[in-house]
Structure formats: structure tokens, C-alpha cells
Amino acid sequence: MNASFSTTPVMIGFEYSMELPYDERYWTADSVTAWQTLDTRSNVPQMFKSTFHQLLSEEMTQLPDPGLMALNALVAALYIHISQTRSMSLHAPNIVTEQLRERCATALRRWLMMISVFQDNDYVHNGNQTLAVGAVLLCESAFVQLYIDQSLLRGAKVDLLNADDNGQDRLFQPVTRSMEMTMAMYHTITSVRGPLSHGMQFLIRTGCIDLGIFHCLLGFRSIVFLVRWLYTLELASQDGTEESLTSEESEIVENLRACIYQSNVPSLAGLPLSKACAKLWGDVTGAMNSPWEITYRLGEYLKVFV
């Protein structure tokens, strides 16, 4: 929730001498008898402190093997750590900032390698997709947090807090193009692929895009960043001052175009990419049957300017 609302965490240190959450088997046992058959003494989880430090270390010979709930705890800690690192390095020399950023990026890539072992795990396929998807979404948001411009982070927070103010177009605003911005945008593509792969009409009818409220809140912020970045490219093209797209920028744009085209959603056809992405999220989050009022309000905010 701290990550979703961009608020300051209550617990900000990572030196706690506590264990990571136990393996999922201990939480899903059908009965007391079944739970007692599990040998808890020989399956004590790794300590949070040592595992977290291992993710951030310069060298790591072997990846830890925690459970899915433990991975959720670790990626949440990484997100908070990245937020704090960005704040602390705001006035640091560039070389220090780059070193800290690369250390955090390495930790996130290691985390993705750890969760990849659950791809074919029966635990995930038997009803725990939300836990796995939520963790990956938070990891993608952590990458965005790592590379995005700090002023844009503050601007997105304002939009979250004032999403009902429709008197001013605060969505389609140009941003500065940079390699860091492009790297951040690469990790927003998931927020477009997700709704399209599940089916827009299904999400609109069921309102299940925010089964976990943080899914919607983190996705909304990523979409705001992505829409503004795409709008910047489109605005430059209209003014006739378009710079040549870098190969990385072109790859993102083509991936998004392919996603929209392959979705076969008539309402998105023919729209500029920026408006197509905004409309996509506005439609699926602005559904009347959404279980959370804030989701509906954010959806309405996105739809106003399309």
C-alpha cells in the first residue's frame, strides 16, 4: 500500500532480525493434522536481513530459494529501498547515483530470476495467480521508480490525489526524453499487455483488474507516465521537429502498436498510441461494478481527456 499511494513507509529500516514468511504449504494446509505432518524445524525460512543483503550484494554465487510469499516481501522491501535511494542520491555526484542505480537494478533482475521458478509451479496455477502477478507488477513498478525523473514521480502523486479535478488537462503533458526515461517506459508495457491479454470486456464486466487494489494503483501511475511519454513523441512529430527515435524507443512503440493491433478492440483502432493506452485503462478501471471507488474515479479521470 505504501508503494501504491507513494507514501512514506512506517517501517523504513532493513536490519530487522526476522524470518521471511514460511513456505506456502504451511499456510494452505487443509487441517491441523496436515499442518503437523510438515517438518517446520528443518524448513525454517531464511532470515530477511541476510537474504535482502544478498540481493543487493556486488557478488552473489547462488540465488536464494524462498517461497512466493517471501518473494512478495522481498520485492516490497526493494521497492521501498529504491524510493529511499532515489531521495538520498538526489544531490549526490552522478557517478555515485549511477552506482546506486545499477546496484538496485541488479537486485531487481536477481529477484526476477528467483520468481521465474514459479512459472510452472502448481501452487501458482491452482488459484494463486494474483499473488504472483502482484509481485511481478510491483517489480516492474520498482524499475519505473528507479529510472523515472523525480519531478514526474511527484506529478503522478498529485494526479492520484486530484483525479476528480477535470477542469485541467494534466494527463497529456510533454516530458523530457532521455535514456533513463526510455528504460522506465520499457517496464510500463506490462500495464498495457495485462488488460489486453485478459480481455477488456471481461475486465469491464467483472471489475477484477483491481482484485488487489494495488494492481490498479500501480498500473494507473505507470499508464500516466507512458501516456505522457508517447504524447511527447507524437507532439514532436506534429510540430515537424521530431528527432529520430532511438532503437530502444522504436522497440517500445512497435511493441505497443502490436499489442493494440492484435487486441482487435474497435474502440482503440485509429487512435494515437497515447490516447489508445489512456482509453484502454479508462475503460477497464472506470467500470461501474468496480469494487473500489478510487478505481472508478481514476478511470473517469483517464477517459475525460481521450
Side-chain angles (χ1 to χ4, degrees):
M1 294 300 288
N2 290 136
S4 302
F5 286 104
S6 302
T7 56
T8 302
V10 176
M11 300 176 70
I12 60 175
F14 301 108
E15 300 300 322
Y16 306 113
S17 297
M18 62 178 68
E19 300 166 349
L20 287 165
Y22 269 77
D23 187 271
E24 287 70 41
R25 295 174 299 160
Y26 298 96
W27 300 88
T28 58
D30 295 332
S31 63
V32 174
T33 302
W35 186 87
Q36 289 175 337
T37 61
L38 301 171
D39 187 359
T40 57
R41 289 174 297 181
S42 63
N43 292 285
V44 176
Q46 296 165 291
M47 298 300 293
F48 170 84
K49 176 181 176 180
S50 60
T51 307
F52 186 75
H53 286 186
Q54 192 175 0
L55 281 174
L56 288 167
S57 66
E58 293 187 6
E59 297 182 2
M60 187 167 62
T61 57
Q62 184 176 359
L63 289 170
D65 186 23
L68 190 55
M69 295 185 70
L71 286 170
N72 272 263
L74 288 169
V75 74
L78 283 172
Y79 187 100
I80 295 171
H81 175 74
I82 287 170
S83 300
Q84 294 173 347
T85 300
R86 289 297 308 272
S87 298
M88 291 186 296
S89 63
L90 193 59
H91 302 292
N94 289 338
I95 187 170
V96 174
T97 300
E98 287 301 319
Q99 290 173 347
L100 292 172
R101 179 181 291 161
E102 183 55 33
R103 182 76 61 83
C104 291
T106 299
L108 289 172
R109 288 192 289 267
R110 287 170 174 169
W111 184 90
L112 285 172
M113 293 176 63
M114 290 159 60
I115 200 172
S116 65
V117 303
F118 288 93
Q119 189 172 15
D120 299 318
N121 192 301
D122 288 339
Y123 174 77
V124 173
H125 289 291
N126 291 334
N128 293 280
Q129 295 93 336
T130 299
L131 193 61
V133 170
V136 173
L137 178 58
L138 184 53
C139 181
E140 295 284 10
S141 298
F143 271 113
V144 175
Q145 182 88 358
L146 183 61
Y147 292 113
I148 203 75
D149 184 84
Q150 288 281 35
S151 62
L152 288 180
L153 286 173
R154 291 190 291 270
K157 186 173 181 178
V158 170
D159 288 331
L160 283 166
L161 296 174
N162 301 285
D164 59 337
D165 180 10
N166 296 324
Q168 181 182 1
D169 186 344
R170 289 175 285 105
L171 178 60
F172 291 95
Q173 299 289 337
V175 297
T176 302
R177 290 168 61 184
S178 66
M179 177 57 71
E180 290 75 18
M181 186 67 177
T182 302
M183 294 174 72
M185 292 304 96
Y186 177 81
H187 293 280
T188 65
I189 297 177
T190 301
S191 297
V192 175
R193 284 179 176 159
L196 291 177
S197 63
H198 285 84
M200 284 182 61
Q201 292 305 315
F202 170 76
L203 295 177
I204 291 172
R205 289 195 301 269
T206 62
C208 67
I209 193 171
D210 56 355
L211 188 60
I213 189 171
F214 58 90
H215 290 184
C216 174
L217 294 174
L218 290 175
F220 170 82
R221 194 174 69 162
S222 292
I223 285 295
V224 169
F225 294 148
L226 179 61
V227 167
R228 289 174 175 170
W229 182 75
L230 291 170
Y231 175 72
T232 301
L233 301 183
E234 294 161 0
L235 192 63
S237 178
Q238 293 171 4
D239 293 343
T241 59
E242 181 182 16
E243 301 175 13
S244 298
L245 296 183
T246 65
S247 58
E248 293 82 4
E249 289 174 333
S250 297
E251 180 182 358
I252 296 171
V253 170
E254 291 307 313
N255 280 337
L256 289 170
R257 282 176 178 162
C259 288
I260 300 296
Y261 176 77
Q262 294 170 6
S263 69
N264 293 319
V265 178
S267 61
L268 303 181
L271 289 176
L273 273 181
S274 60
K275 290 193 173 184
C277 292
K279 179 172 177 54
L280 161 66
W281 259 76
D283 288 348
V284 298
T285 57
M288 293 298 294
N289 58 352
S290 172
W292 305 97
E293 181 182 356
I294 188 173
T295 303
Y296 174 75
R297 288 159 64 88
L298 295 180
E300 288 298 296
Y301 165 74
L302 289 173
K303 289 192 289 186
V304 162
F305 303 115
V306 177

